[in-house]
Amino acid sequence: MATRNRQWRLKRHPDPGEMMNRDLVAWGEGHIEEVPRGGILVRTHCLATSPAQFGYMKPGPGLFEKIHIGDVIRARGIGQVMESRTPDFSVGDIVTGSLGWQDYTCLHPESAGQSIKTVQKEPHAISPLHVTLGTLGVDGYTAYCELINVAKPKKGDTLLVTAAAGGIGSLVGQVGRILGCCVIGIAGTDEKCAWICDDLGFDAAINYKTEDIDVRLAQLAPQGIDVFFDNVGGEIMNTALAHIALHARVIICGWISTDYKEGPIPGPSNYTHLLLKRASMIGTIVWDHIEDWPDASRHLRQWVKDGVLIPTEDITEGLENAPDALASLFTGGNRGNKIIRVAPDPEGLGIL
Ligand SMILES: NC(=O)c1ccc[n+]([C@@H]2O[C@H](COP(=O)([O-])OP(=O)(O)OC[C@H]3O[C@@H](n4cnc5c(N)ncnc54)[C@H](OP(=O)(O)O)[C@@H]3O)[C@@H](O)[C@H]2O)c1
């Protein structure tokens, strides 16, 4: 049994305007906790990244619990049960949930430590585990549930997706394409624009760093955008609002372009188009749709099996590189769903 537990802990809160960087976290080794009765010990295999993790490092109010100085950085992950003192889990089970930037997580039955309720068994886990965690996990559920349940796209609709070459965006665009939408993506490099069109089947792409989004949207969507799935907020969102179609649905999934801005974020001046086009704009969180996750899981799995949904995981090797992996989301250094591989997949898993 291993005794080393490598960990990243929060060293200090970010200063105002400071970007995610290694100086915020401290690398070290902790002990592996003794598993209490009713608890389990999980070996981490892969960790997901999300811009929200950086938000947890900032002090002040937030939707989810903050990470305090000295805490292990919280992260959703996939791992294998190494020790179990509860009949609910067996050694060898694959689980997903809140594991953190560490090799081993001890999950407790009650609030004395990290709760076992934050993880769930993954009886259909397949190798590679990073696909089970990402495309077939919460990122896939976000794309599927927020697009299908909330935006309700119809065949022939024009769908606009921002951060289109990112984790959520690359899946939203593909789901839209599978449903028969005409999909336009906005991304930050020509290489990403080519990737989403050539490999993922988007109909068109706009490089927001080199092209005039206003001009390009007028060319690409002369009848307007029926569904606008926004991951970035700010100026890009405001520009796109001026191009919505009658009865458009605008999904606020995230606002990464304003994550580092201090003070109040200016409202979108083009909000008037919501009235002119009798459109709706709605914020939604993947956790609002938990009851639909099994349905999402079934469809995503089938689509991947049929080869129509391409998993988009972008792997960073090694727990030691976790801070750089998270930082890459804010610099556009990722292409697809950024996952940190902490340990090779265990043997004996099913394959798709
Ligand atoms: N509502 C929910 O339930 C939910 C759940 C998970 C995530 N989210 C949100 O969904 C969004 C995507 O998350 P993700 O984990 O999939 O991250 P991601 O899209 O894989 O990574 C973020 C991407 O945003 C782009 N970006 C960064 N700064 C930007 C800027 N200033 N302007 C425009 N684009 C910028 C970068 O790509 P470029 O190279 O194209 O700039 C980067 O790759 C985030 O806003 C996140 O907070 C929401």
Side-chain angles (χ1 to χ4, degrees):
M1 178 69 191
T3 51
R4 290 179 72 202
N5 193 16
R6 302 171 306 152
Q7 298 172 323
W8 283 105
R9 292 177 180 270
L10 187 64
K11 187 161 88 184
R12 62 176 178 83
H13 297 297
D15 292 329
E18 183 178 10
M19 298 185 75
M20 175 61 209
N21 69 84
R22 279 180 170 258
D23 189 49
L24 297 171
V25 288
W27 174 252
E29 274 186 28
H31 68 286
I32 298 175
E33 283 178 68
E34 194 172 317
V35 181
R37 184 175 307 154
I40 55 174
L41 181 72
V42 176
R43 167 57 157 133
T44 310
H45 285 271
C46 294
L47 292 165
T49 57
S50 169
Q53 282 174 283
F54 182 59
Y56 305 153
M57 296 182 197
K58 296 178 186 172
L63 193 56
F64 296 105
E65 197 193 333
K66 294 290 174 162
I67 300 173
H68 304 287
I69 290 172
D71 285 354
V72 172
I73 305 300
R74 200 163 69 241
R76 199 163 41 79
I78 189 162
Q80 188 169 40
V81 176
M82 306 302 289
E83 195 179 332
S84 174
R85 297 193 62 197
T86 164
D88 297 336
F89 291 88
S90 305
V91 170
D93 281 349
I94 300 294
V95 296
T96 53
S98 190
L99 299 183
W101 286 4
Q102 58 185 347
D103 288 312
Y104 295 91
T105 303
C106 181
L107 294 138
H108 295 244
E110 68 284 297
S111 56
Q114 195 167 333
S115 168
I116 201 165
K117 292 196 175 122
T118 60
V119 296
Q120 61 179 46
K121 271 198 263 195
E122 294 290 344
H124 305 297
I126 48 117
S127 191
L129 283 182
H130 56 77
V131 175
T132 300
L133 179 65
T135 298
L136 300 177
V138 172
D139 291 298
Y141 303 160
T142 306
Y144 183 97
C145 296
E146 296 188 6
L147 182 66
I148 293 184
N149 294 4
V150 188
K152 300 185 171 42
K154 298 186 299 294
K155 191 169 180 197
D157 275 355
T158 296
L159 164 66
L160 176 68
V161 189
T162 53
I168 308 275
S170 62
L171 297 174
V172 168
Q174 292 192 76
V175 172
R177 186 245 302 141
I178 291 165
L179 299 177
C181 296
C182 169
V183 186
I184 304 168
I186 299 183
T189 66
D190 287 344
E191 179 264 335
K192 287 184 178 185
C193 287
W195 178 62
I196 60 176
C197 291
D198 299 345
D199 293 8
L200 305 185
F202 284 50
D203 294 279
I206 303 171
N207 179 338
Y208 72 89
K209 290 186 181 160
T210 60
E211 295 187 274
D212 184 326
I213 298 174
D214 197 34
V215 170
R216 291 286 284 135
L217 284 178
Q219 291 166 346
L220 293 169
Q223 309 301 321
I225 298 153
D226 301 293
V227 174
F228 172 24
F229 194 104
D230 186 35
N231 290 307
V232 305
E235 269 310 304
I236 295 176
M237 180 264 280
N238 192 44
T239 302
L241 277 184
H243 292 269
I244 55 175
L246 195 65
H247 304 306
R249 287 83 72 204
V250 179
I251 301 298
I252 307 172
C253 180
W255 45 81
I256 194 164
S257 76
T258 60
D259 264 353
Y260 289 115
K261 300 247 169 32
E262 292 305 313
I265 297 163
S269 55
N270 285 331
Y271 82 100
T272 51
H273 288 259
L274 295 168
L275 181 147
L276 298 173
K277 298 294 167 53
R278 271 76 92 206
S280 60
M281 185 167 186
I282 185 167
T284 174
I285 295 183
V286 62
W287 306 102
D288 300 338
H289 306 279
I290 285 183
E291 70 282 5
D292 294 317
W293 288 13
D295 182 51
S297 174
R298 241 183 345 267
H299 281 95
L300 294 165
R301 194 170 286 273
Q302 191 60 48
W303 287 335
V304 171
K305 209 168 180 171
D306 294 345
V308 291
L309 180 69
I310 314 290
T312 61
E313 278 63 46
D314 170 10
I315 308 299
T316 289
E317 295 290 346
L319 182 61
E320 62 278 16
N321 295 316
D324 307 327
L326 180 57
S328 75
L329 303 185
F330 298 93
T331 59
N334 66 314
R335 193 185 79 170
N337 197 352
K338 177 54 79 182
I339 300 272
I340 302 148
R341 191 179 354 249
V342 178
D345 284 1
E347 294 191 352
L349 290 173
I351 50 168
L352 206 67

